């Protein structure tokens, strides 16, 4: 949110609850205050007469009396906003409760010990150095460790987030997290590798569509954790050389994206056999991934894995999903395979070919990204 006046402007973050309250005011209360005879001057907060708010404290009091809400001053609101803007997204709820219990002092003491101001003075990032006692006291903060310890908690959370961002495709191993920590050269306040592994969650569609590592894998077609295996009379298939947790991104169905009409012409040319053509619908468009042309133009020396995955309607452990990947040159339609369940080491990867067959016949198939 950005707040502007004739003299200055300020930007700050707000919680979802704050956002909902502002939305409720804008949609439910503000329209009742507006009057055709008054110029609201484009201001957000209006008095009952439809005029821009002049005395914030008085108008807050009248508003709270009208809607039977607890009253507080503009100074209290501003102090609470500063604190929430810098600590609400990083500080655990149970720690906030402990902090509130500890800070039962007067307004002046609360101002002096405001953690939001502390974070403004000493920003907590994954790479920042903890403020020493000398620096804390020189900046006007108490010499005790209360803010210092909370600062370290915020940094620890940011470091865990940084490590997890480098493992968006699938859960990392404890040894991998340990290597990442060594690479960052953190000498203190290091996350526990086991805790980082336990906090891994499947990436959302938004995260995947802009994830640089997944984009690189699509571009290079060098997906790790996969290998071709000869199954004898069944032919070749793909097996997992590393375990994949449910929700992990395994690989893509790689090929040139063409229109559905172009794909159907290719089907006719190969005597009605769909082969390695993957038909799908996205945003009202009839499309097809052409993996029949092999090797592909963009990877003439690579044996792309997605086209080698075999079919099973009953034992499928992969689900195809459609994404609009944000490549440097622009967005591109991509079919990614996600693990439907936990996949074990050396297990064959399978998906239901019925998905692309039904799309070929024009049936509506859900290829949306469904978060478990």
């Amino acid at each position: 949110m950005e707040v502007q006046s004739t003299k200055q402007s300020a930007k700050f973050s707000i919680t979802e609850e704050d956002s909902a309250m502002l939305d409720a005011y804008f949609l439910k209360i503000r329209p009742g205050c507006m009057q055709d005879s008054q110029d609201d001057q484009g201001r957000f907060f209006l008095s009952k007469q439809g005029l821009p708010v002049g005395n914030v404290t008085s108008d807050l009091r009248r508003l709270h009396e009208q809607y039977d809400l607890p009253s507080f001053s503009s100074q209290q609101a501003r102090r609470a906003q500063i604190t929430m803007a810098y600590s609400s997204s990083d500080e655990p709820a149970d720690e906030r409760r402990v902090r509130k219990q500890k800070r039962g002092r007067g307004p002046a003491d609360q101002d002096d010990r405001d953690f939001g101001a502390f974070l403004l003075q000493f920003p907590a990032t994954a790479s920042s150095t903890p403020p020493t006692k000398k620096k804390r006291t020189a900046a006007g903060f108490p010499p005790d460790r209360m803010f210092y310890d909370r600062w370290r908690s915020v940094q620890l959370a940011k470091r865990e987030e940084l490590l997890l961002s480098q493992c968006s495709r699938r859960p990392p191993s404890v040894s991998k997290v340990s290597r990442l920590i060594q690479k960052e050269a953190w000498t203190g306040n290091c996350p526990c590798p086991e805790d980082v592994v336990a906090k891994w969650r499947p990436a959302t569609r938004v995260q995947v569509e802009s994830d640089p590592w997944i984009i690189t894998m699509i571009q290079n077609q060098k997906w790790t954790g996969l290998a071709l295996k000869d199954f004898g009379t069944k032919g070749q298939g793909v097996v997992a050389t590393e375990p994949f947790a449910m929700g992990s991104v395994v690989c893509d169905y790689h090929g040139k994206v063409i229109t559905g009409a172009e794909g159907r012409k290719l089907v006719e040319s190969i005597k009605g056999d769909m082969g390695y053509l993957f038909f799908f619908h996205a945003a009202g468009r009839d499309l097809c991934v052409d993996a029949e042309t092999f090797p592909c133009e963009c990877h003439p020396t690579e044996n792309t894995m997605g086209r080698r995955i075999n079919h099973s309607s009953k034992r499928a452990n992969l689900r195809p999903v459609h994404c609009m990947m944000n490549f440097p040159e622009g967005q591109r339609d991509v079919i990614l395979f996600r693990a439907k369940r936990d996949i074990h080491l050396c297990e064959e990867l399978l998906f239901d070919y019925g998905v692309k067959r039904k799309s070929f016949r024009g049936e509506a198939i859900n290829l949306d990204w469904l978060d478990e």
Side-chain angles (χ1 to χ4, degrees):
M1 171 174 285
E2 182 174 7
V3 178
Q4 291 184 332
S5 68
T6 56
K7 296 181 179 180
Q8 60 184 355
S9 66
K11 293 182 179 180
F12 54 89
S13 62
I14 61 176
T15 66
E16 291 183 359
E17 183 180 8
D18 291 338
S19 178
M21 291 174 66
L22 291 175
D23 287 342
Y25 171 81
F26 186 76
L27 297 174
K28 303 294 184 181
I29 299 177
R30 189 177 184 277
C33 299
M34 297 179 67
Q35 300 181 21
D36 294 336
S37 60
Q38 300 291 353
D39 181 11
D40 64 8
Q41 302 177 23
R43 300 294 182 87
F44 187 81
F45 291 106
L46 302 178
S47 67
K48 289 182 180 180
Q49 291 74 34
L51 297 172
V53 169
N55 187 309
V56 178
T57 299
S58 298
D59 280 272
L60 274 175
R61 187 185 68 253
R62 287 194 291 267
L63 183 68
H64 285 215
E65 289 174 354
Q66 179 179 350
Y67 292 95
D68 193 25
L69 299 172
S71 183
F72 54 86
S73 67
S74 60
Q75 183 181 11
Q76 290 173 306
R78 183 167 57 252
R79 183 165 56 245
Q81 182 60 67
I82 292 173
T83 302
M84 292 300 294
Y86 290 95
S87 64
S88 61
S89 61
D90 298 308
E91 185 182 1
D94 56 345
E95 191 169 325
R96 288 200 298 272
R97 287 194 294 270
V98 172
R99 171 175 55 81
K100 290 179 180 178
Q101 293 171 0
K102 289 182 177 179
R103 292 181 60 190
R105 304 175 178 87
D109 186 66
Q110 290 181 4
D111 284 341
D112 292 339
R113 302 174 65 84
D114 184 82
F115 185 55
F118 189 85
L119 286 177
L120 277 174
Q121 183 71 28
F122 307 108
T125 67
S127 58
S128 54
T129 303
T132 63
K133 182 178 180 179
K134 182 178 180 180
K135 289 183 178 180
R136 300 198 303 270
T137 53
F141 294 99
D144 61 38
R145 292 178 57 95
M146 186 178 73
F147 284 172
Y148 174 80
D149 290 339
R150 286 182 54 209
W151 186 97
R152 285 171 58 85
S153 297
V154 172
Q155 184 189 63
L156 188 67
K158 290 183 179 294
R159 287 182 169 182
E160 288 179 343
E161 181 181 353
L162 176 63
L163 296 172
L164 288 169
S165 69
Q166 300 178 59
C167 310
S168 57
R169 183 191 173 201
R170 65 170 185 264
S173 63
V174 172
S175 59
K176 179 178 180 179
V177 175
S178 299
R179 290 195 300 271
L180 291 174
I181 292 175
Q182 292 178 356
K183 182 179 178 181
E184 295 292 339
W186 296 329
T187 57
N189 202 25
C190 294
C192 174
E194 289 80 4
D195 291 343
V196 174
V197 173
K199 291 180 180 180
W200 183 90
R201 296 293 182 272
T204 65
R205 179 200 289 270
V206 174
Q207 291 171 330
V208 166
E209 289 180 334
S210 298
D211 187 273
W213 192 91
I214 294 178
I215 289 174
T216 300
M217 292 299 100
I218 296 173
Q219 292 173 323
N220 297 342
Q221 285 300 295
K222 295 185 183 296
W223 293 96
T224 58
L226 308 176
L228 284 175
K229 180 179 178 179
D230 191 343
F231 289 92
T233 57
K234 181 181 174 181
Q236 286 189 323
V238 181
V239 296
T241 58
E242 295 183 23
F244 289 89
M246 183 175 70
S248 299
V249 174
V250 177
C251 66
D252 67 324
Y253 195 90
H254 191 74
K256 183 179 180 181
V257 178
I258 58 179
T259 65
E262 292 172 320
R264 290 177 179 84
K265 288 183 180 179
L266 284 175
V267 172
E268 294 177 2
S269 68
I270 53 179
K271 300 179 180 180
D273 183 6
M274 285 182 57
Y276 296 102
L277 299 173
F278 194 115
F279 291 85
F280 66 101
H281 299 274
R285 298 169 297 150
D286 182 20
L287 302 172
C288 174
V289 176
D290 175 18
E292 180 69 24
T293 305
F294 182 80
C296 63
E297 297 176 356
C298 48
H299 299 91
T301 62
E302 298 296 330
N303 195 351
T304 55
M305 289 293 182
R307 70 192 299 275
R308 296 293 189 182
I309 297 175
N310 288 322
H311 159 75
S312 177
S313 58
K314 296 182 179 179
R315 298 187 298 114
N317 50 22
L318 298 178
R319 191 176 79 85
V321 294
H322 168 260
C323 287
M324 288 295 295
M325 300 299 297
N326 297 308
F327 290 89
E329 64 273 15
Q331 288 188 323
R332 278 166 41 192
D333 294 279
V334 173
I335 297 295
L336 292 174
F337 286 118
R338 294 184 74 197
K340 292 178 62 176
R341 56 170 175 78
D342 290 346
I343 299 175
H344 304 293
L345 184 66
C346 297
E347 183 178 351
E348 183 182 7
L349 302 177
L350 303 164
F351 82 98
D352 186 359
Y353 286 7
V355 174
K356 59 179 184 176
R357 293 195 189 103
K358 291 177 181 178
S359 295
F360 170 71
R361 296 196 297 265
E363 298 181 32
I365 301 298
N366 185 8
L367 292 182
D368 287 338
W369 188 280
L370 301 177
D371 291 321
E372 284 76 8

